[in-house]
Amino acid sequence: MQLSLQGVIPIPLREKVTSRQSGMWNTSRTFNKGEYVFIQAPSGTGKTTLVHILYGLRKDYEGEIKWDHTNLTTANNETVANLRANGISVIFQDMRLFPELTVGENIEAKRRLTNTVTAAQAGEWLDRLGLQDKKNSLGSTLSYGEQQRVAIVRALLQPFDWLLMDEPFSHLDHANIAKAIALISEVVQQHKAGMILADLDENNYFPYTQTVIL
């Protein structure tokens, strides 16, 4: 699945993003499935806004975004929902777990919707990220780092051509980052998928094929 952007400008940030040169905003860009794209985004340049736009959560922008032939601006809710269910997964910066559900329930709710990963496999992924003792803990009781690791596993529980990540390791130490990178890399390769990782600072988490300054 190909991603193309033509002249995209987020309306709330129009003045800020048009006053500086950007490798993404108000340009013509194309990304192909299988690419590993790093979006380096200085503070205030719209990193989270970009991820939300690409996921179809926001339409307050000018220009055009297409996932293959699906135009996000004009697509109806059913089309966008189908795109998210089958083509795009996301790790949100704010995690968005259900606080009233346990870790296991948060994972199982997503897993049952997609039915592409077994319960045993999902449990193994939680174990690999050091969450084996947290499966019965409520989302509201987790540390930010624990929430982030649950959110990473949840994002991998579906088919996808692209994985979007917004500061996915911001609350993790080096050891847990290494574990998360290994798991993400393994699943992305299984899907022959691409990834877009947006972060503030330069990093070498993955073997990026492109680096774009937002």
Side-chain angles (χ1 to χ4, degrees):
M1 184 166 64
Q2 185 183 77
L3 168 63
S4 62
L5 300 89
Q6 297 287 336
V8 175
I9 299 174
I11 293 172
L13 297 174
R14 177 206 295 275
E15 193 172 319
K16 181 175 289 188
V17 302
T18 55
S19 65
R20 57 186 294 276
Q21 187 172 6
S22 170
M24 184 71 76
W25 299 128
N26 201 26
T27 64
S28 176
R29 301 294 308 228
T30 299
F31 304 102
N32 295 303
K33 181 182 176 181
E35 290 195 70
Y36 289 13
V37 182
F38 174 49
I39 308 294
Q40 186 173 359
S43 182
T45 56
K47 170 183 56 62
T48 297
T49 297
L50 174 65
V51 172
H52 288 184
I53 287 174
L54 294 180
Y55 196 58
L57 291 177
R58 299 181 63 152
K59 293 191 176 182
D60 53 343
Y61 60 89
E62 299 172 352
E64 181 179 84
I65 297 176
K66 287 185 176 180
W67 291 101
D68 277 348
H69 300 295
T70 300
N71 188 325
L72 277 185
T73 307
T74 58
N76 60 34
N77 291 338
E78 182 179 354
T79 299
V80 173
N82 184 64
L83 183 67
R84 292 175 187 160
N86 297 288
I88 310 169
S89 193
V90 63
I91 302 170
F92 291 109
Q93 183 183 17
D94 55 359
M95 282 77 83
R96 302 194 179 194
L97 302 184
F98 294 109
E100 72 279 7
L101 299 183
T102 66
V103 168
E105 290 167 342
N106 268 280
I107 292 299
E108 189 65 6
K110 177 66 177 285
R111 193 192 69 79
R112 288 190 176 187
L113 280 174
T114 60
N115 198 31
T116 56
V117 174
T118 66
Q121 182 70 75
E124 180 187 331
W125 290 353
L126 288 171
D127 292 349
R128 284 177 59 177
L129 297 193
L131 294 165
Q132 59 270 21
D133 297 328
K134 294 293 181 178
K135 294 174 184 177
N136 294 318
S137 299
L138 292 176
S140 60
T141 68
L142 302 179
S143 70
Y144 285 124
E146 290 164 347
Q147 289 182 51
Q148 200 156 48
R149 283 176 277 161
V150 175
I152 289 168
V153 172
R154 182 184 59 184
L156 301 177
L157 296 174
Q158 67 167 78
F160 60 86
D161 288 333
W162 284 93
L163 177 63
L164 308 178
M165 296 179 276
D166 185 3
E167 293 190 47
F169 312 132
S170 57
H171 299 289
L172 303 185
D173 58 28
H174 293 301
N176 280 311
I177 289 174
K179 294 175 185 177
I181 288 171
L183 178 60
I184 291 170
S185 297
E186 180 181 306
V187 178
V188 167
Q189 289 170 19
Q190 288 173 359
H191 289 291
K192 298 181 172 61
M195 65 168 68
I196 296 176
L197 187 151
D199 212 330
L200 298 174
D201 299 315
E202 189 174 355
N203 63 70
N204 60 353
Y205 295 144
F206 299 97
Y208 302 114
T209 57
Q210 288 196 57
T211 296
V212 180
I213 306 299
L214 188 60

